[in-house]
Amino acid sequence: MAKKLDFTKQFRPAAKLAVVLLCCHAFYSLVDFKTANYNLDFSIRRSLGKEPTFSKKIKVYANDDRTVAENGIDKLRIEQWADLLETLDSKKPSSILIPYLFSKIPSLSAASGKVALERIKKIKTPIIAMIYFAPNEVVGKQKAPLSLTGQNQTNTLKSYSNNSFNEIKKNFKVDLEENYYGPPPELKDAFKLGHFQFPDTSSSYHIPFFLAKDGEDKAIVPHIALLTAGKNLKIVDEKIIANGSEVYLNEAGKIPLNFFSKISDTGDRVSITKRSLLYLLQNKKNSKSLKKIKEGDQIIILENYYTGGPRGFITTPLGNQTIASTMSIHLVNSVVTGNWIRELSWTQGFTLVYISILLGFFITQIFSPLMAGSISFLLAVLQVSLGVYLFSVHSIQWSWLTSSSMLLLSTILSVITEVFNIETKSLNLQRTLSGLLPPSQVAAAIKDPNSLDLKPQLYEVTIMFIDITGFSLTAKKMETNAIFSEVRDYLQEITNIILNHNGVVDKTLGDGMLCFFGFEIGRKQQRLNHAEEAIDCALKVQELCFERNLTARSVGKAI
């Protein structure tokens, strides 16, 4: 028999793994898995009815179309602001948040307006307004006053942290801002100022705070939602603490937004109940809306909620458009409830992705392609289920879409390389054994290559020696090329006869041949009629010899 053939060098496991890793990495680089994963998390959580509960301590009022129509002007006058804020203050809420209060307030410069302003300054409830930062100085626009007096004095650096300015700037990846604008300067001692800045138009992430210069002093400008924590907002050991809960940041130092699916006028478990500001303005003390406010509640006033107002629309994590100022509501809810989204770090996510790739590869090395595909599919489903569960129940976000996709892709690529490897082995095996074994035995060897790894066994076989008599004398009369062609054709015809009689060609030497009968690859039982097969084969070879001699004589060739 021929010596054992080594087919393991066709496509080594290390080479297959390298191909799989390169293809998966290329696919990972081309597809934006992070955004898709983020949006799917919110959509699936909404469909499962697992969105976080909206706190009943948050009361939202809007300067909507009804308020504007009744008021006759889209902006509240300073006297109306004074009446409204004094009324709300009487209910002793935790804070009053007014995002997007940028425009000039009507009647602020009038005598009655100055009186109203003094009334506002005496309000004990913290009133939080918003400032925004510009990359360059805005001509004709006065900067927002970040004075360290009045309500805004808690913006001093020492009020939030014992860390140095440079430590905060480094640890939280924030920049120093000098161009900031907000409410009219006259309100500098009446409002606490926070920012409402997010790094992209999707609003999926928010910046926790900026550092700003106020003369020679430096001030921390927290997000307006964080300011609602009041004295319970702290920076401890490089962590932001609001109402005793850690505000989780991603590796870029941003706050992932724990978004609600809708804001409506009639609330349910997850809807944010929004009421018209009109009811508070018309009948302050007897208003049903006012009676719903309890001590310690968080009040949010959406000043620009009317049609045509300077709302500013942004894209939510669910892909729809909404008013920018409403994003503050979601963050305030996290401050109140302590329900923040926690993202796995880039290193953790990267590790899980490559573990999935390796898992998909090694599964195909252990199991058959069909079994490997089934196992990988079940593991991918498990990853998706775990990711959905962690986000929907515990607000923990990880790249389950990336991991499951890479697991399946790795399995598919590994199966493809394995099939390629098998086909290459089969082709080489067929080329090697064809002409030595009958077609049925070649097929058996291709189906089970291990059958060629033969151990010494005792078989009863019939051996046949074949030699072309007188070929040496005949060869002297022929040219070299003709000799080789004649021998090749003759032996090929003899080989075909041997193979047709289930014989095995062991070797050829010149014009001679050694073959045997009685052994068959892939068959455990001994062939019993091998002697008859050998005799029939010998007779056929003799017939071939006689026919060739007759043909040679008829054309004048040597016999």
Side-chain angles (χ1 to χ4, degrees):
M1 281 296 293
K3 65 179 181 178
K4 178 184 175 182
L5 300 175
D6 183 10
F7 296 99
T8 60
K9 296 182 180 180
Q10 302 302 323
F11 210 145
R12 294 182 181 276
K16 291 193 289 185
L17 179 58
V19 171
V20 170
L21 287 173
L22 287 174
C23 292
C24 288
H25 183 75
F27 188 70
Y28 176 78
S29 302
L30 293 173
V31 180
D32 186 6
F33 283 104
K34 183 177 180 180
T35 301
N37 201 131
Y38 193 87
N39 294 338
L40 279 173
D41 273 332
F42 285 96
S43 298
I44 295 173
R45 185 176 71 172
R46 176 181 60 178
S47 64
L48 294 176
K50 294 294 184 179
E51 290 187 313
T53 302
F54 177 59
S55 175
K56 294 181 179 180
K57 292 178 65 64
I58 301 174
K59 304 298 190 300
V60 182
Y61 299 93
N63 183 30
D64 55 9
D65 290 340
R66 286 178 289 180
T67 306
V68 171
E70 183 69 23
N71 202 28
I73 186 173
D74 55 8
K75 300 293 181 182
L76 297 185
R77 296 182 294 275
I78 189 63
E79 295 87 355
Q80 290 177 305
W81 276 115
D83 291 340
L84 174 62
L85 295 174
E86 284 179 340
T87 301
L88 293 173
D89 184 50
S90 67
K91 304 298 291 186
K92 297 181 180 180
S94 176
S95 66
I96 302 172
L97 176 60
I98 313 174
Y100 280 74
L101 186 62
F102 296 143
S103 303
K104 186 175 181 179
I105 300 176
S107 72
L108 180 59
S109 59
S112 59
K114 294 179 180 179
V115 174
L117 180 58
E118 292 302 318
R119 290 165 56 195
I120 294 176
K121 290 180 181 180
K122 294 178 181 180
I123 291 175
K124 296 181 180 180
T125 302
I127 306 170
I128 303 169
M130 169 186 161
I131 62 174
Y132 68 92
F133 297 95
N136 301 303
E137 185 175 354
V138 180
V139 179
K141 183 76 172 178
Q142 187 174 354
K143 289 185 180 181
L146 280 179
S147 68
L148 306 181
T149 62
Q151 290 222 45
N152 207 38
Q153 62 182 337
T154 53
N155 278 65
T156 57
L157 191 64
K158 293 182 180 179
S159 298
Y160 296 114
S161 172
N162 293 323
N163 297 17
S164 69
F165 175 80
N166 290 331
E167 286 176 335
I168 293 178
K169 183 178 179 181
K170 176 182 177 182
N171 294 335
F172 292 96
K173 304 176 183 179
V174 294
D175 295 324
L176 179 64
E177 299 288 347
E178 297 185 0
N179 301 309
Y180 35 84
Y181 304 91
E186 292 87 348
L187 300 174
K188 66 177 183 178
D189 294 330
F191 292 169
K192 295 179 70 172
L193 298 179
H195 79 85
F196 188 49
Q197 212 91 344
F198 38 85
D200 53 56
T201 56
S202 69
S203 76
S204 299
Y205 298 91
H206 284 244
I207 300 171
F209 51 73
F210 283 98
L211 297 175
K213 290 183 64 176
D214 185 22
E216 296 299 323
D217 295 317
K218 299 180 180 69
I220 297 177
V221 184
H223 194 285
I224 53 175
L226 297 179
L227 278 177
T228 60
K231 295 181 180 179
N232 294 321
L233 177 62
K234 300 177 182 179
I235 301 175
V236 181
D237 297 330
E238 302 180 10
K239 296 180 180 178
I240 302 175
I241 307 297
N243 289 333
S245 299
E246 181 181 353
V247 180
Y248 293 101
L249 309 179
N250 63 9
E251 287 191 321
K254 307 300 187 295
I255 304 175
L257 181 68
N258 206 347
F259 183 76
F260 289 93
S261 62
K262 61 181 179 178
I263 299 176
S264 64
D265 295 317
T266 56
D268 53 32
R269 182 178 181 275
V270 298
S271 297
I272 298 174
T273 304
K274 172 188 65 62
R275 299 178 177 87
S276 177
L277 199 60
L278 176 64
Y279 304 124
L280 292 180
L281 295 173
Q282 282 186 334
N283 192 3
K284 299 178 298 210
K285 296 183 180 180
N286 297 323
S287 171
K288 291 182 180 180
S289 296
L290 185 61
K291 291 179 180 179
K292 293 181 179 294
I293 300 175
K294 307 299 181 182
E295 183 176 347
D297 284 352
Q298 300 282 354
I299 309 299
I300 301 177
I301 300 176
L302 304 178
E303 195 269 341
N304 60 347
Y305 209 78
Y306 54 90
T307 303
R311 301 180 175 192
F313 286 89
I314 55 175
T315 304
T316 72
L318 293 173
N320 58 305
Q321 294 286 318
T322 189
I323 300 173
S325 60
T326 60
M327 292 296 99
S328 61
I329 303 174
H330 307 282
L331 283 170
V332 171
N333 189 67
S334 292
V335 171
V336 173
T337 63
N339 192 343
W340 302 93
I341 291 178
R342 288 170 287 176
E343 289 187 354
L344 294 187
S345 66
W346 182 88
T347 302
Q348 292 170 325
F350 184 83
T351 301
L352 289 174
V353 167
Y354 272 83
I355 287 177
S356 297
I357 294 175
L358 294 175
L359 184 61
F361 173 79
F362 286 113
I363 286 175
T364 60
Q365 305 306 301
I366 300 173
F367 300 99
S368 66
L370 181 60
M371 180 63 70
S374 301
I375 294 174
S376 295
F377 178 77
L378 291 176
L379 290 176
V381 171
L382 181 62
Q383 286 185 335
V384 172
S385 301
L386 180 61
V388 171
Y389 168 78
L390 289 176
F391 185 75
S392 300
V393 179
H394 300 288
S395 297
I396 298 175
Q397 193 168 49
W398 68 293
S399 54
W400 54 264
L401 179 62
T402 311
S403 297
S404 58
S405 298
M406 291 299 104
L407 172 62
L408 294 175
L409 179 61
S410 173
T411 302
I412 293 172
L413 291 173
S414 299
V415 168
I416 291 174
T417 56
E418 187 66 22
V419 170
F420 174 80
N421 195 36
I422 292 173
E423 290 296 325
T424 302
K425 288 181 179 181
S426 300
L427 181 61
N428 291 340
L429 192 61
Q430 185 177 19
R431 289 173 178 173
T432 302
L433 299 180
S434 293
L436 299 177
L437 298 175
S440 60
Q441 296 190 40
V442 173
I446 292 174
K447 184 177 181 180
D448 183 17
N450 293 327
S451 61
L452 295 176
D453 187 14
L454 301 176
K455 296 179 181 179
Q457 295 184 27
L458 183 62
Y459 279 92
E460 180 183 293
V461 297
T462 300
I463 299 175
M464 178 186 293
F465 297 94
I466 300 175
D467 183 71
I468 303 176
T469 306
F471 179 76
S472 298
L473 295 175
T474 304
K476 293 180 181 180
K477 304 175 183 179
M478 302 172 62
E479 294 189 11
T480 304
N481 292 337
I483 294 173
F484 283 106
S485 296
E486 187 71 19
V487 173
R488 182 191 62 196
D489 295 342
Y490 208 161
L491 293 182
Q492 182 61 53
E493 291 185 68
I494 295 174
T495 298
N496 292 337
I497 295 173
I498 295 172
L499 297 181
N500 289 335
H501 288 78
N502 298 314
V504 176
V505 177
D506 184 60
K507 65 185 65 171
T508 59
L509 181 62
D511 60 347
M513 180 179 292
L514 172 63
C515 59
F516 58 87
F517 300 81
F519 174 81
E520 183 174 348
I521 293 176
R523 182 172 178 174
K524 297 181 180 180
Q525 295 181 346
Q526 170 80 51
R527 296 183 68 88
L528 300 178
N529 61 337
H530 53 86
E532 290 84 352
E533 290 178 328
I535 294 174
D536 290 341
C537 177
L539 293 175
K540 287 292 183 182
V541 170
Q542 290 295 334
E543 290 180 8
L544 172 67
C545 180
F546 181 74
E547 293 174 358
R548 289 182 66 88
N549 286 339
L550 291 178
T551 303
R553 180 170 184 150
S554 65
V555 296
K557 288 185 177 180
I559 300 176

